Amino acid sequence: MSQPTGPGAAGATPPRASVVTYKAELRKAIRRNAHDPEVNFLNITAMLDIMTIILVFLLKTLGESSAAVPQSDDLRLPASVIKTQPHQEGVLVTISKTQILVGDDKVLSLPGRESLAQAGVDARHKRGGPNDLFIVPLGNALMSARKTDVAVRRAKGLDPSSSEAIIIADKNTPYRLLIEVLFTLGQSEFGKYHLMVIQSKKLGG
Amino acid sequence: MSLTTAQRGKIRRLSQPRELSPDEEGGELNIVPFLDIVVNILIFVLATVAVTFTASIETAPPASKGAGVRAEIPQEALNLTVFIVNDGFSLKAAGGNIAPGCQGTGSGIAVPKVGATYDYATLTGCAARLKGSSPEFADENQAYITANPGTDFQTIIAVMDALRATSAGDVLFDNINFKVSR
């Protein structure tokens, strides 16, 4: 028995397709299998960049502005309907319920409100007795602050003949104490004051 | 001519999409917790900033005994002074003490308290009436405040607000200075 050898014989390998057909089929298969790349993670790097920059910017603005005035039981700012921007340049004078500060340095402890409302600061801290308005420890602190401020104003190209002060006072500060502080500032060559308030919609807080 | 089995197998193998290596995939850094923190801080900062809007009111050194460092005041000036006393606001202008009810001159408290509170709206109305009483006062923007020694700072700021402008926004006296009566 002889094995069939002709082209039509059973078990014979079919003829190979041409290279052109093969490549066409391959291209078709690649196209068929190709699918869009899966979004398996969200690329939020750009958003993160923006948010980090906004955060840093806000923190910096908040830190530099006077909006960072600490509000506590010892110091609560009065409310005002004024809408101006808070002034940033000047020597900071803080009058809380218990003390007076120039910048961050405490210069004087204050007695109770009853005593302050009658005669202001203790007579021993005044230049000329209980009726005087000049507070000596505050005046001394302001003299040194004024020296620094003169140099700062010169460097900034501002008029050094008088300085500006930012007054941060508690809303219960009696008028007598306020006037004593303002008078002492006036005597220490501070010619312009900025009274810090919190913006409110209602007159009188 | 059809494809052979070997050709089909090769086509199947070559047409599979290429798997990305771990290096190419990216995103293996889990930044979600960091993002949570950043978003929380951002919201907190924004909320805090919105609550504490501050402003500043400008003023000059106080004048004592009626003298001071004020600008020269013309003869025809209104020269309004508000005295904050326990019973209300007493007003004094160039013509003399303003009578109660803000009508003419005479002794008494021009704007008395309503109950236990100061009447800021009436004070604004009175200041507007006094400023409008003569065309010579139209350009005047300076007024003075003096108060009892125990008057609190909040009341002084409220009086400054009341004198600064009317509720309609017309500017009255936006240059307020303090006086000391001794």
Side-chain angles (χ1 to χ4, degrees):
Chain A
M1 280 176 54
S2 62
Q3 295 291 323
T5 55
T13 50
R16 282 174 64 98
S18 70
V19 173
V20 175
T21 314
Y22 165 74
K23 284 195 171 172
E25 286 294 322
L26 180 60
R27 275 198 297 273
K28 268 189 216 166
I30 288 173
R31 267 202 304 276
R32 205 167 41 238
N33 290 341
H35 50 77
D36 291 332
E38 273 181 40
V39 183
N40 47 15
F41 78 101
L42 192 65
N43 189 357
I44 48 169
T45 312
M47 189 182 86
L48 207 68
D49 285 354
I50 295 167
M51 283 177 48
T52 309
I53 289 168
I54 292 173
L55 186 66
V56 169
F57 170 76
L58 281 174
L59 286 172
K60 187 174 176 291
T61 315
L62 193 69
E64 282 183 356
S65 77
S66 305
V69 175
Q71 295 276 312
S72 66
D73 285 342
D74 196 36
L75 177 63
R76 290 215 181 276
L77 291 183
S80 168
V81 292
I82 198 165
K83 297 283 182 229
T84 54
Q85 285 296 309
H87 195 80
Q88 304 287 345
E89 305 284 328
V91 174
L92 214 63
V93 178
T94 309
I95 312 168
S96 77
K97 282 190 178 72
T98 53
Q99 55 189 352
I100 296 176
L101 296 97
V102 174
D104 291 328
D105 304 322
K106 179 182 169 182
V107 294
L108 192 63
S109 289
L110 296 173
R113 194 181 188 282
E114 287 298 313
S115 164
L116 283 172
Q118 284 173 4
V121 174
D122 280 347
R124 61 195 161 95
H125 296 307
K126 305 272 189 69
R127 189 169 49 189
N131 289 329
D132 198 350
L133 295 171
F134 188 87
I135 305 168
V136 176
L138 178 61
N140 295 339
L142 288 172
M143 268 175 62
S144 116
R146 165 81 179 131
K147 276 181 195 163
T148 315
D149 197 53
V150 167
V152 171
R153 291 180 77 85
R154 281 215 177 96
K156 286 185 175 174
L158 299 167
D159 177 21
S161 63
S162 97
S163 292
E164 297 184 19
I166 299 171
I167 317 283
I168 300 174
D170 183 73
K171 65 180 183 180
N172 288 318
T173 304
Y175 184 69
R176 169 78 193 192
L177 176 62
L178 182 71
I179 288 300
E180 285 182 355
V181 171
L182 295 187
F183 180 82
T184 310
L185 278 162
Q187 296 282 302
S188 311
E189 299 178 338
F190 285 79
K192 201 171 181 183
Y193 316 137
H194 308 277
L195 308 174
M196 290 296 290
V197 291
I198 281 186
Q199 289 184 18
S200 158
K201 288 188 174 129
K202 188 168 156 273
L203 196 69
Chain B
M1 283 182 290
S2 60
L3 298 168
T4 62
T5 312
Q7 281 176 322
R8 284 184 194 285
K10 200 173 178 187
I11 284 172
R12 204 177 303 120
R13 203 172 57 249
L14 289 174
S15 66
Q16 288 302 314
R18 195 167 60 91
E19 290 291 327
L20 290 173
S21 69
D23 290 346
E24 289 170 313
E25 272 185 356
E28 71 245 66
L29 186 68
N30 188 2
I31 50 168
V32 175
F34 172 68
L35 204 68
D36 285 352
I37 294 166
V38 170
V39 170
N40 276 313
I41 293 174
L42 193 65
I43 290 168
F44 171 76
V45 168
L46 283 172
T48 317
V49 168
V51 168
T52 56
F53 274 125
T54 54
S56 61
I57 302 174
E58 291 190 12
T59 185
S64 64
K65 292 180 181 172
V69 292
R70 300 292 86 81
E72 281 183 32
I73 298 165
Q75 285 290 315
E76 298 80 18
L78 179 61
N79 205 8
L80 180 68
T81 305
V82 178
F83 296 84
I84 307 170
V85 293
N86 290 335
D87 299 327
F89 304 121
S90 175
L91 273 69
K92 193 177 167 190
N97 195 63
I98 308 298
C102 204
Q103 301 284 350
T105 54
S107 61
I109 306 288
V111 184
K113 270 185 173 176
V114 178
T117 55
Y118 286 105
D119 190 354
Y120 299 112
T122 309
L123 176 64
T124 306
C126 188
R129 179 200 290 264
L130 291 171
K131 188 169 181 174
S133 62
S134 169
E136 289 165 346
F137 306 151
D139 293 334
E140 194 170 335
N141 70 340
Q142 188 170 267
Y144 304 96
I145 290 179
T146 186
N148 278 350
T151 307
D152 58 38
F153 189 36
Q154 175 65 74
T155 306
I156 290 158
I157 293 291
V159 171
M160 292 172 100
D161 283 347
L163 292 175
R164 187 179 306 110
T166 63
S167 54
D170 299 327
V171 175
L172 298 173
F173 303 97
D174 57 1
N175 182 8
I176 308 282
N177 293 299
F178 299 112
K179 259 189 188 176
V180 190
S181 50
R182 288 206 278 185

